[in-house]
C-alpha cells in the first residue's frame, strides 16, 4: 500500500509551479483549519484586514499601494495582478468559508498570508470606552464623531521599529494624534507604518501630517468600497490614531507644545517649518509634522462603516 500523504482537500500547497514560471513565496503547506483559526480569533479584525487589502487590490494605484504584495502571486519577479484578483473573488465570505466545503489552494495560501499576525495584530476594542480614552489624550473638541469600530494595533515583539520606539519612550513623552488617508492606503500603512517621504502634502514642509483634532483628519479620509463579502458594511472610511513622541524634531505649534522646560528659541524653532509654503512658516494649532519615521507608530484604526447595504 502506498504511503498516505496530506489530505489533498484540507491542505493548500504553495509554490508547486514548474521552474520556468516559478512563483515567489513559501513552499510550505497551509491548512484550511489554520486560516479558520486566524479568522476565529477576531472575526471583525479579519474582515477589516480583508477590506483594506481589497481597497488596495482594486485601486488604479495598486502598484504603489498594494505593498506588501502577496509573494505567491509574483511570477519571475512580475506581479500577477489579474490572477490575484481572480482568486480573491472566489472568497465567499467569512461565515461560509469557516463552514468548509469551498477550498481553493491559492485562496487559502492568500488568506493565511494576509491574516497572519505579523508584523502587527489588529484587535477589536470596545468602541465607547476606547474612544473616550483616545479623546482624553488628544483633547476633546467641539466636533468629534465616534467610529463604528475601533481596532488596536499590536506590534510584534520582533519588530525592529517597535523596539526602537519603545526605547525612545523612556526619554520622551508620547501623545496621540489622528492621521487621515484614503482607504486604499491603509493596507500598506498597517503593515509598514507611515513614512514621511510618501506624504503628498507639503504646505508646512516635509513630513507626515497629523492633528490632535479629529475633524482635521476626517477631511482626508473619504469613504471607499469594502470587499464583496464584508459584514462591516458596503463601504468605509478609516482614520489612524498614532502614538507620537514629544521629540524636539516633531514640528508643533508653540501654543501646543507641552515641553515647558524648553527655551523660547527652541519652542519657536520647533513651531516653524523653514520650507513651509506659508508666509510666516508657522505650524498651525493642533497640527503635527513628523519628519523622522521612528518618532511615531500606529496605535488604533477608527473605522466608519456604511451599513446601509451591508451584505
Amino acid at each position: 500500500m502506498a504511503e498516505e500523504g496530506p489530505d489533498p482537500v484540507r491542505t493548500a500547497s504553495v509554490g508547486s509551479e514548474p521552474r520556468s514560471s516559478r512563483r515567489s513565496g513559501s513552499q510550505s503547506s497551509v491548512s484550511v483549519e489554520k486560516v479558520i483559526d486566524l479568522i476565529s480569533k477576531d472575526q471583525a479584525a479579519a474582515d477589516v484586514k480583508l477590506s483594506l487589502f481589497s481597497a488596495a487590490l482594486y485601486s488604479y494605484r495598486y502598484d504603489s499601494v498594494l505593498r506588501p504584495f502577496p509573494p505567491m502571486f509574483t511570477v519571475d519577479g512580475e506581479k500577477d495582478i489579474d490572477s490575484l484578483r481572480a482568486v480573491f473573488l472566489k472568497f465567499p465570505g467569512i461565515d461560509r468559508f469557516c463552514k468548509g466545503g469551498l477550498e481553493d489552494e491559492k485562496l487559502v495560501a492568500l488568506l493565511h498570508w494576509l491574516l497572519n499576525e505579523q508584523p502587527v495584530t489588529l484587535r477589536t476594542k470596545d468602541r465607547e470606552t476606547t474612544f473616550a480614552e483616545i479623546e482624553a489624550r488628544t483633547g476633546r473638541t467641539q466636533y468629534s464623531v465616534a467610529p463604528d469600530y475601533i481596532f488596536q494595533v499590536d506590534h510584534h515583539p520582533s519588530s525592529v521599529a517597535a523596539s526602537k520606539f519603545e526605547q525612545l519612550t523612556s526619554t520622551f513623552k508620547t501623545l496621540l494624534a489622528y492621521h487621515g488617508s484614503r482607504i486604499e492606503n491603509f493596507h500598506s500603512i498597517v503593515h509598514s507604518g507611515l513614512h514621511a517621504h510618501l506624504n503628498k502634502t507639503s504646505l508646512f514642509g516635509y513630513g507626515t501630517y497629523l492633528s490632535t483634532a479629529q475633524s482635521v483628519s476626517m477631511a482626508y479620509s473619504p469613504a471607499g468600497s469594502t470587499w464583496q463579502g464584508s459584514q462591516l458594511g458596503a463601504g468605509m472610511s478609516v482614520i489612524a490614531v498614532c502614538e507620537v513622541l514629544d521629540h524636539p524634531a516633531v514640528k508643533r505649534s508653540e501654543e501646543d507644545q507641552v515641553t515647558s522646560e524648553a527655551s523660547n528659541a527652541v519652542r519657536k524653532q520647533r513651531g516653524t517649518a523653514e520650507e513651509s509654503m506659508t508666509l510666516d512658516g508657522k505650524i498651525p494649532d493642533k497640527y503635527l509634522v513628523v519628519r523622522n519615521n521612528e518618532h511615531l507608530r500606529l496605535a488604533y484604526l477608527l473605522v466608519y462603516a456604511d451599513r446601509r447595504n451591508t451584505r
Side-chain angles (χ1 to χ4, degrees):
M1 180 181 295
E3 182 179 349
E4 292 186 0
D7 185 343
V9 176
R10 304 300 296 176
T11 304
S13 178
V14 184
S16 57
E17 306 288 339
R19 183 175 296 274
S20 61
S21 59
R22 179 72 66 187
R23 293 179 181 267
S24 302
S26 172
Q27 304 295 310
S28 61
S29 297
V30 178
S31 69
V32 175
E33 284 80 3
K34 193 165 186 177
V35 175
I36 293 174
D37 181 60
L38 288 172
I39 293 172
S40 300
K41 288 180 179 179
D42 192 330
Q43 186 166 316
D47 200 324
V48 79
K49 270 195 168 185
L50 288 161
S51 295
L52 303 183
F53 175 78
S54 177
L57 176 63
Y58 291 105
S59 170
Y60 72 93
R61 297 188 297 120
Y62 75 86
D63 195 46
S64 59
V65 297
L66 189 54
R67 297 181 180 181
F69 189 90
M72 66 286 297
F73 287 91
T74 300
V75 184
D76 295 332
E78 296 293 327
K79 298 175 182 178
D80 191 353
I81 190 68
D82 292 332
S83 293
L84 175 55
R85 287 171 174 169
V87 169
F88 188 68
L89 279 173
K90 295 179 181 179
F91 190 45
I94 287 175
D95 289 343
R96 185 176 170 191
F97 179 84
C98 290
K99 290 177 181 176
L102 194 153
E103 295 155 7
D104 179 287
E105 64 179 31
K106 291 182 180 179
L107 176 60
V108 172
L110 172 63
L111 293 174
H112 181 265
W113 173 84
L114 178 61
L115 301 177
N116 197 14
E117 297 177 339
Q118 295 188 34
V120 298
T121 300
L122 298 184
R123 288 194 296 123
T124 305
K125 300 293 289 183
D126 179 78
R127 184 173 66 97
E128 293 184 5
T129 302
T130 307
F131 190 56
E133 293 172 354
I134 292 170
E135 285 195 305
R137 291 189 62 187
T138 56
R140 290 182 173 83
T141 58
Q142 291 182 339
Y143 178 79
S144 65
V145 181
D148 296 293
Y149 302 93
I150 297 180
F151 300 94
Q152 180 172 307
V153 181
D154 293 333
H155 299 267
H156 197 271
S158 64
S159 168
V160 175
S163 298
K164 180 64 175 178
F165 188 89
E166 285 296 333
Q167 292 174 11
L168 290 170
T169 58
S170 63
T171 305
F172 302 99
K173 297 179 180 179
T174 62
L175 58 138
L176 292 184
Y178 303 99
H179 176 82
S181 190
R182 301 180 68 87
I183 187 174
E184 60 263 29
N185 295 327
F186 274 96
H187 170 74
S188 175
I189 290 172
V190 167
H191 284 83
S192 306
L194 288 163
H195 294 276
H197 72 280
L198 296 177
N199 177 45
K200 303 301 181 183
T201 303
S202 57
L203 184 60
F204 308 114
Y206 168 83
T208 297
Y209 286 42
L210 303 100
S211 177
T212 54
Q214 184 198 34
S215 58
V216 173
S217 296
M218 288 192 77
Y220 296 93
S221 294
S225 298
T226 54
W227 63 289
Q228 69 275 6
S230 176
Q231 293 300 307
L232 301 183
M236 66 171 61
S237 61
V238 182
I239 294 178
V241 179
C242 298
E243 199 171 6
V244 184
L245 295 172
D246 187 26
H247 190 284
V250 174
K251 295 292 184 178
R252 195 177 186 194
S253 74
E254 292 185 60
E255 292 76 8
D256 288 340
Q257 292 178 39
V258 296
T259 311
S260 58
E261 61 269 19
S263 66
N264 289 336
V266 171
R267 292 169 67 85
K268 184 175 181 179
Q269 182 182 25
R270 187 179 176 188
T272 305
E274 296 78 7
E275 68 276 33
S276 171
M277 297 173 66
T278 62
L279 291 176
D280 58 10
K282 289 185 177 180
I283 303 297
D285 293 350
K286 302 187 183 304
Y287 273 75
L288 297 94
V289 181
V290 181
R291 298 178 171 184
N292 188 330
N293 299 332
E294 293 182 348
H295 293 166
L296 82 166
R297 69 175 175 185
L298 206 58
Y300 300 97
L301 297 181
L302 308 184
V303 174
Y304 298 84
D306 179 1
R307 297 177 175 175
R308 290 174 296 178
N309 296 304
T310 303
R311 300 169 177 87

